[in-house]
Amino acid sequence: MKIAVLPGDGIGPEIVAQAVKVLEVLRTEGAKLEMETAPIGGAGYDAAGDPLPDTTLKLAREADAVLLGAVGGPQYDALDRPLRPERGLLRIRKELNLFANLRPALLYPELASASSLKPEVVSGLDLMIVRELTGDVYFGQPRGIEVRNGERVGFNTMLYAESEVRRVAHVAFGIAMKRGKKLCSVDKANVLECSELWKEVMIEVSKDYPDVALSHMYVDNAAMQLIRAPKQFDTIVTGNIFGDILSDAASMLSGSIGMLPSASLDENNKGMFEPIHGSAPDIAGKNMANPLATILSAAMMYRYTFADLATADRIENAVKKVISQGLRTSDIWTEGTQKVSCSKMGDAVVKALAS
Ligand code: NAD
């Protein structure tokens, strides 16, 4: 298995180094892993004048999976739009056709007090959001800003082809099958034709998965229910823009964004795996970032691309163990627990993996 390792900017290199330590342990045990590092985002711009250098894209195409840190930083904010770090990220997702974005929101019982919701509302939360990632209003044409009747108007197009809905539906039903067999499709079909089609296709695809209970919810209600009673959900599937917003809301249920991994998959389960947070320039270079979201992203790589569930479980259990031992980076630290650095947290996971 070849992994393209793209640390990116800010805390990216620090957190990716901890996940690489974990992968190195597996390699010394005999896993056939090859890792190659390349720049992306601001680092890509610095190295080659492009947030997604050709050599990085080539490596990512040839690899079986991509492990990414984060991109972006204030020093790049004044660049022309196509040169900005975030463009590198959008482009690699599109170039690799990563249309299904999986974002688990899981609350470790020991971290229940870090959530902004009452512990009884969130304790034991285990939710998966499947967000379509390459379509919708973010990519639909026409789009633009132009003058009409003497004033400027801005416009975008919400657009889904049924094939795009069908393929993400299959991913979501497949995941729901392996989880609690409950899938909630979130849309705005009472107002938007695009959502009406989304809902119809979801119902068609559901016939292939008779064991999964499909339900539908309007996005405004889903936003409310996620905060009111998040444990009612098992797996959620939704379009790009609704998923963007709902998955960020869901991330806060579990306390710190430093804990949450993600996967973006193509049709063959090749994927890019990355923490959901950004490059955290405010703490970059201080060895204090939480590397667990990145380590858990490596676990998702094993689960979804390498289909090695035992190793995925093993990495996740190692993370659970360090949490239960009371080790905390500063973002999740509370009185009575032991504050550790980013690299110490990585070392602790490596140790837990071996025991
Ligand atoms: P951010 O996620 O980088 O940081 C938000 C807050 O969370 C900060 O206080 C930060 O210190 C903290 N934080 C984030 N990750 C952490 C971790 N692992 N451990 C401890 N604390 C952590 O979001 P932002 O500040 O809005 O954006 C910073 C830069 O990151 C911007 O350039 C933005 O464009 C970029 N960004 C990149 C991605 C990505 O690469 N996928 C995602 C979001 C933002």
Side-chain angles (χ1 to χ4, degrees), residues 11 70-73 86 89 257-258 274 276-283 289-290 331:
I11 58 169
V71 302
E86 294 74 14
L89 200 54
I257 53 175
E274 54 180 313
I276 67 155
H277 58 73
S279 57
D282 51 334
I283 57 166
N290 185 345
D331 57 312

Side-chain angles (χ1 to χ4, degrees), residues 12-333:
E14 302 163 44
I15 52 176
V16 165
Q18 310 315 313
V20 167
K21 272 186 203 168
V22 169
L23 295 170
E24 289 289 3
V25 171
L26 301 172
R27 182 156 66 177
T28 34
E29 287 175 358
K32 289 198 170 50
L33 282 183
E34 202 186 310
M35 288 182 261
E36 199 176 326
T37 302
I40 192 167
Y45 175 78
D46 291 340
D50 184 346
L52 181 61
D54 291 343
T55 45
T56 300
L57 181 58
K58 184 167 176 286
L59 172 69
R61 281 195 203 286
E62 287 167 3
D64 297 293
V66 178
L67 180 68
L68 182 112
V71 302
Q75 68 271 46
Y76 305 109
D77 285 350
L79 289 174
D80 285 345
R81 242 167 228 293
L83 297 177
R84 290 201 196 148
E86 294 74 14
R87 283 298 170 107
L89 200 54
L90 289 179
R91 259 177 57 212
I92 196 170
R93 287 175 181 157
K94 193 79 181 166
E95 294 279 354
L96 299 181
N97 204 15
L98 304 173
F99 66 87
N101 183 222
L102 280 46
R103 287 187 38 170
L106 199 128
L107 187 71
Y108 295 88
E110 294 91 341
L111 301 183
S113 60
S115 172
S116 48
L117 296 194
K118 292 189 202 111
E120 64 269 26
V121 175
V122 283
S123 185
L125 177 76
D126 181 0
L127 159 72
M128 175 70 86
I129 297 186
V130 181
R131 165 190 171 196
E132 201 288 331
L133 203 58
T134 53
D136 206 347
V137 70
Y138 292 170
F139 294 95
Q141 294 288 347
R143 61 190 295 165
I145 300 175
E146 63 185 34
V147 175
R148 292 181 192 169
N149 300 325
E151 66 170 344
R152 286 175 303 155
V153 294
F155 55 96
N156 293 84
T157 304
M158 181 175 262
L159 187 149
Y160 267 121
E162 57 181 318
S163 56
E164 292 176 302
V165 182
R166 192 162 285 121
R167 65 183 184 175
V168 76
H170 281 292
V171 171
F173 275 102
I175 287 170
M177 280 289 286
K178 293 188 197 128
R179 292 174 44 91
K181 297 190 169 59
K182 267 170 59 182
L183 179 64
C184 180
S185 170
V186 172
D187 61 47
K188 190 73 184 166
N190 51 342
V191 181
L192 303 169
E193 285 79 359
C194 185
S195 271
E196 214 177 296
L197 177 76
W198 174 280
K199 187 171 177 177
E200 277 174 31
V201 176
M202 284 291 157
I203 292 169
E204 285 164 25
V205 174
S206 72
K207 308 222 158 64
D208 293 345
Y209 301 87
D211 292 341
V212 177
L214 173 68
S215 60
H216 306 272
M217 195 177 277
Y218 297 137
V219 62
D220 40 350
N221 186 23
M224 186 180 82
Q225 296 299 336
L226 263 180
I227 308 302
R228 193 186 72 84
K231 285 191 276 183
Q232 70 183 283
F233 298 107
D234 177 71
T235 307
I236 289 178
V237 61
T238 189
N240 203 345
I241 189 167
F242 299 155
D244 191 358
I245 298 163
L246 291 183
S247 57
D248 262 30
S251 72
M252 272 327 289
L253 301 175
S254 57
S256 170
I257 53 175
M259 293 298 300
L260 293 174
S262 78
S264 305
L265 303 177
D266 75 0
E267 239 138 23
N268 304 310
N269 285 331
K270 172 176 171 168
M272 187 159 88
F273 301 84
E274 54 180 313
I276 67 155
H277 58 73
S279 57
D282 51 334
I283 57 166
K286 296 184 179 161
N287 194 21
M288 60 188 280
N290 185 345
L292 295 179
T294 317
I295 292 172
L296 291 168
S297 299
M300 289 188 88
M301 180 187 297
Y302 268 90
R303 187 171 302 283
Y304 293 103
T305 295
F306 301 165
D308 178 349
L309 309 191
T311 305
D313 287 345
R314 201 175 145 209
I315 300 172
E316 286 167 4
N317 286 335
V319 169
K320 275 186 202 144
K321 191 163 177 191
V322 298
I323 293 290
S324 68
Q325 286 166 345
L327 302 188
R328 304 281 189 275
T329 40
S330 28
D331 57 312
I332 48 173
W333 179 83

